[in-house]
Amino acid sequence: MASADPVLNLPSATSNIRATDICSIKVLAESAKLSAIPSTYNSLTDPCERQVADELTPQIPVIDLSLLLSDDPQLHAEAVQHLARACEEWGFFMVINHGIPEGLIGDVISLSQKFHNLSDGEKAEFGDKGVSSPIRCGTSFNPKSEDVHYWRDYLKVITHPDWAFPHKPQGFDDVAKEYCRETRKVARKLLEGISESLDLEPDAIAKATALDTGLQVFIANLYPPCPQPELALGMPPHSDHGFLALLIQNGVGGLQISHKGKWVNVKPLPNSILVNTADQLEVASNGRYRSVLHRAVVNDKETRISVVTVNGPDLEKVVRPMPELMEREEAAFRGMKFKEYYELQQKNRLDGKTCMDHIRIKPGEESE
Ligand code: OGA
Ligand code: NI
């Protein structure tokens, strides 16, 4: 719909509205006083899909970054082992003692909410013009390629190697710059520990993939209250590109991770950062640390905000299993330039781990 204010034209037709017709689900949810979701947002036809193993939440691994960085070799070695188990068994952990000030985390969340509270008109200059634009905001994941849409608005910014950021709301860019720098540091330290846990030099993965000029994407997600949370999803099951995704949220839950075939609700420890291992780590570790499948569910009461930074290789680097690992095992993935993988993941429908199928070597196939 090409109208300047599509929402006002919609009330009679909200039942089958498409995400391509709107700028944000927030505005639709607020203006149309919906009692039911449009049918195009119905993700969950099978109620079994929502069965959740709450009893597993307390077992989610906790990584104390101060122990990983300890000068005491014993404490450090134990932390590396702990990190290895977390990556192998869960692909997900909560980081405590990460050194990022609580106030900074609070500011990032509240300014992200303020950004989403700007009117559609004020955000128009940041509208999604495709994967290569440094700043893009929109709704769902990739509305043009989807049959079913997601109850989510997003702002995605490429914050490294080149810095870009919206100039509004006031102060957002300075706060985000600090936060992005801090999360890059934490991601690097974790990646060094992970590298060690694979019997590699701490900086082996970082060097092989030029992490110093690596891609960082900052994503501010907003999930407005949804009248039928049992039917819609904020984000479908997927894995992330890059090495490590670091997530903070506004105290409203909704992230679920897949663990041993069950969905597990994530209830973070206070002031912790949630970290999931992503696709390029699965490749570099030759399949030992599998990227975790996760999704976002929605609720009918409160707006949820989450802020994710995804930290990955240099876009120009070909990512392949680490050569040191190939001395003792067969390659499980062929190499692919990270830029190509990133575009593959961003330009299509978000669908589980299907992007990995493009690089996985099937039994009997030659590696390269
Ligand atoms: C993401 C993501 C989950 C969440 O942005 O990639 O998985 O809980 N977000 O917002
Ligand atoms: Ni994700």
Side-chain angles (χ1 to χ4, degrees), residues 141 152 219 221 223 235-236 238-240 245 247-249 254-256 276 294-297 304-308 310 345 350:
F141 179 75
R152 164 217 193 207
I219 306 152
N221 297 306
Y223 306 97
M235 279 188 96
H238 70 280
S239 57
D240 296 332
L247 182 146
I248 52 175
Q249 60 181 26
L255 174 62
Q256 295 183 336
N276 67 264
H294 56 288
R295 67 180 186 180
V297 296
R304 171 163 185 257
I305 307 277
S306 69
V307 173
V308 181
V310 189
Q345 202 250 16
L350 199 53

Side-chain angles (χ1 to χ4, degrees), residues 20-293:
T20 41
D21 299 328
I22 57 173
C23 298
S24 74
I25 190 67
K26 176 179 179 289
V27 170
L28 179 71
E30 285 169 0
S31 72
K33 297 273 174 280
L34 300 177
S35 57
I37 59 167
S39 58
T40 43
Y41 283 77
N42 189 336
S43 292
L44 298 172
T45 43
D46 175 6
C48 294
E49 277 187 66
R50 290 199 58 120
Q51 277 183 8
V52 168
D54 254 338
E55 74 276 12
L56 291 176
T57 297
Q59 297 168 27
I60 293 175
V62 177
I63 299 296
D64 184 334
L65 191 64
S66 68
L67 294 180
L68 191 67
L69 302 182
S70 170
D71 293 333
D72 180 328
Q74 179 70 23
L75 289 180
H76 172 73
E78 281 170 14
V80 169
Q81 270 183 19
H82 193 179
L83 186 57
R85 272 203 309 279
C87 291
E88 211 153 40
E89 292 170 16
W90 288 80
F92 188 83
F93 46 89
M94 312 189 205
V95 178
I96 57 167
N97 294 324
H98 44 69
I100 305 183
E102 213 174 331
L104 179 60
I105 290 177
D107 287 349
V108 172
I109 296 284
S110 67
L111 285 158
S112 295
Q113 180 145 25
K114 274 196 185 150
F115 177 85
H116 283 292
N117 284 344
L118 296 173
S119 68
D120 286 348
E122 286 171 301
K123 282 181 286 193
E125 63 181 295
F126 309 120
D128 198 334
K129 290 174 207 70
V131 56
S132 53
S133 27
I135 303 177
R136 44 198 184 115
C137 98
T139 189
S140 193
F141 179 75
N142 203 345
K144 287 196 198 86
S145 68
E146 297 162 353
D147 302 324
V148 174
H149 302 306
Y150 303 104
W151 205 262
R152 164 217 193 207
D153 293 332
Y154 63 83
L155 164 67
K156 286 188 205 178
V157 190
I158 295 179
T159 52
H160 201 269
D162 297 317
W163 173 257
F165 215 77
H167 53 89
K168 53 188 161 185
Q170 209 204 341
F172 195 16
D173 49 357
D174 287 341
V175 164
K177 197 170 205 167
E178 179 72 13
Y179 181 72
C180 287
R181 193 168 42 226
E182 292 290 320
T183 51
R184 263 178 60 72
K185 271 197 250 167
V186 171
R188 187 182 187 104
K189 296 295 174 201
L190 291 170
L191 193 64
E192 286 175 0
I194 289 171
S195 201
E196 257 187 89
S197 80
L198 293 165
D199 283 331
L200 307 173
E201 289 298 319
D203 62 356
I205 298 178
K207 266 195 183 153
T209 60
L211 193 70
D212 287 341
T213 45
L215 180 75
Q216 185 187 51
V217 186
F218 171 101
I219 306 152
N221 297 306
L222 178 134
Y223 306 97
C226 172
Q228 289 178 298
E230 68 287 1
L231 295 181
L233 277 175
M235 279 188 96
H238 70 280
S239 57
D240 296 332
H241 62 76
F243 289 133
L244 294 168
L246 276 58
L247 182 146
I248 52 175
Q249 60 181 26
N250 67 337
V252 178
L255 174 62
Q256 295 183 336
I257 55 171
S258 170
H259 180 67
K260 296 190 174 151
K262 287 184 177 167
W263 288 111
V264 178
N265 277 324
V266 177
K267 300 198 183 91
L269 293 174
N271 200 28
S272 65
I273 294 185
L274 304 176
V275 179
N276 67 264
T277 60
D279 296 345
Q280 270 61 40
L281 188 59
E282 179 165 342
V283 175
S285 70
N286 199 34
R288 176 145 158 211
Y289 297 154
R290 277 175 295 161
S291 57
V292 70
L293 203 60

